[in-house]
Amino acid sequence: MTKLSDMPNIGKELEKQLKKAGVETPGQLIELGSKEAFLRIRSIDSSACINRLYALEGAIQNIRWHYLSQDIKDELKAFYLSLNVK
């Protein structure tokens, strides 16, 4: 994969947000991790929701986010809730 949008769950809009947040390649996203990438996106788009976090993790795992294990979803949900989002 050479473009972020080649990864599962990463459409053109999320690719634009990632690039604006300083994430240019799939390798950079994988190295950064879903949580840090999400924090960067939240710094430019406060409306980013938990589904975007799931999408990032799914992209890193090379699967549709719907297929993330329940354990991973629970961990990501706890992280998301720790950000004091309403």
Side-chain angles (χ1 to χ4, degrees):
M1 285 178 271
T2 58
K3 297 186 308 185
L4 289 163
S5 60
D6 291 336
M7 300 176 84
N9 313 309
I10 308 290
K12 294 295 181 190
E13 288 305 310
L14 184 48
E15 181 179 44
K16 285 180 193 174
Q17 284 189 323
L18 284 164
K19 287 183 175 186
K20 190 173 180 181
V23 183
E24 297 284 332
T25 67
Q28 286 178 323
L29 176 58
I30 291 165
E31 186 176 317
L32 198 60
S34 60
K35 293 174 184 174
E36 180 59 32
F38 182 76
L39 289 174
R40 289 185 181 194
I41 288 173
R42 282 291 299 255
S43 73
I44 59 172
D45 178 6
S46 63
S47 72
C49 67
I50 194 168
N51 289 336
R52 197 150 328 155
L53 178 59
Y54 290 161
L56 292 167
E57 182 61 32
I60 289 168
Q61 292 191 27
N62 199 34
I63 59 173
R64 296 278 297 144
W65 72 264
H66 304 88
Y67 301 119
L68 290 170
S69 73
Q70 191 60 51
D71 287 344
I72 295 293
K73 286 182 180 177
D74 290 346
E75 176 189 334
L76 293 172
K77 184 176 182 179
F79 169 77
Y80 180 78
L81 293 175
S82 76
L83 301 175
N84 295 318
V85 290
K86 303 228 185 288

